[in-house]
Amino acid sequence: AFEASTITGEGEKQVPAVGQGFRGLVNFGNTCYINSTLQLLFALPEFQQRYLKHMGMVFERAPSDPAADLTTQLCKLAKALDEYPSESSEHKALKTEVELPDLGDPSIELKPKMLKKAVAKDHYEFAGTRQQDAQEYIAHLLKTISRDARAFPHTPGCTDLTSLF
């Protein structure tokens, strides 16, 4: 018989993975398909470098509405995922005053709402709060990234990342 506890570690003391490179994304309205896709992509060194190494140049060429610019939003997320801020003093004080479960500090939660909106501007199904297919999302995201790379060919690091797959 299959025992789910053997793969979930049920009953064992779990050590949280925290620190640089171990930040998660908040699920807001059935966005787990987005979060898992972004975590997968940003686990690739080539993807990280494309958005971290050339962030300054991307920000310089950002349009007047950076909230709607996919590359700008991916750079912001890359930086946020790469950093791990220390726990806020307010959260530390609250934990000492009140017995709270260790759910993490809300100041270090990542909610890529602007990125979701930037991706959804070309695909109405990703604009809502309904569950979507991760494969369809990654295909659309990579297509949009490739289109952006072709639009700005002189930006360093703007190679077509679909070749990774």
Side-chain angles (χ1 to χ4, degrees):
F2 176 72
E3 290 289 329
S5 63
T6 60
I7 61 170
T8 62
E10 187 177 314
E12 298 175 17
K13 179 164 176 53
Q14 302 295 311
V15 179
V18 296
Q20 188 171 4
F22 290 103
R23 291 188 72 185
L25 303 172
V26 175
N27 184 5
F28 53 96
N30 289 322
T31 58
C32 54
Y33 70 97
I34 295 172
N35 297 348
S36 60
T37 298
L38 294 172
Q39 292 284 11
L40 165 82
L41 291 173
F42 280 105
L44 300 170
E46 297 88 349
F47 203 84
Q48 291 173 11
Q49 286 305 305
R50 190 257 195 250
Y51 294 103
L52 286 173
K53 187 175 180 183
H54 306 290
M55 187 180 330
M57 187 173 287
V58 169
F59 288 161
E60 285 177 17
R61 70 116 178 119
S64 59
D65 182 14
D69 182 56
L70 177 64
T71 303
T72 302
Q73 294 306 314
L74 286 167
C75 283
K76 283 176 46 185
L77 182 59
K79 183 161 179 55
L81 287 170
D82 189 55
E83 296 176 340
Y84 194 83
S86 59
E87 187 175 39
S88 69
S89 56
E90 294 85 12
H91 193 258
K92 284 180 186 175
L94 184 60
K95 279 173 47 178
T96 58
E97 293 173 16
V98 182
E99 192 171 319
L100 293 174
D102 191 16
L103 298 176
D105 185 349
S107 68
I108 58 176
E109 294 178 342
L110 297 177
K111 298 177 186 173
K113 290 182 177 183
M114 284 191 263
L115 176 58
K116 179 182 184 288
K117 187 176 179 180
V119 174
K121 73 179 179 185
D122 295 330
H123 199 297
Y124 74 94
E125 287 185 18
F126 299 131
T129 57
R130 295 182 50 202
Q131 182 65 39
Q132 300 295 332
D133 184 76
Q135 189 276 331
E136 289 178 19
Y137 184 78
I138 196 170
H140 173 69
L141 181 60
L142 291 173
K143 181 178 84 175
T144 307
I145 289 169
S146 294
R147 184 183 63 217
D148 191 59
R150 286 189 304 274
F152 300 99
H154 301 296
T155 302
C158 286
T159 57
D160 184 357
L161 293 172
T162 58
S163 63
L164 295 173
F165 303 96

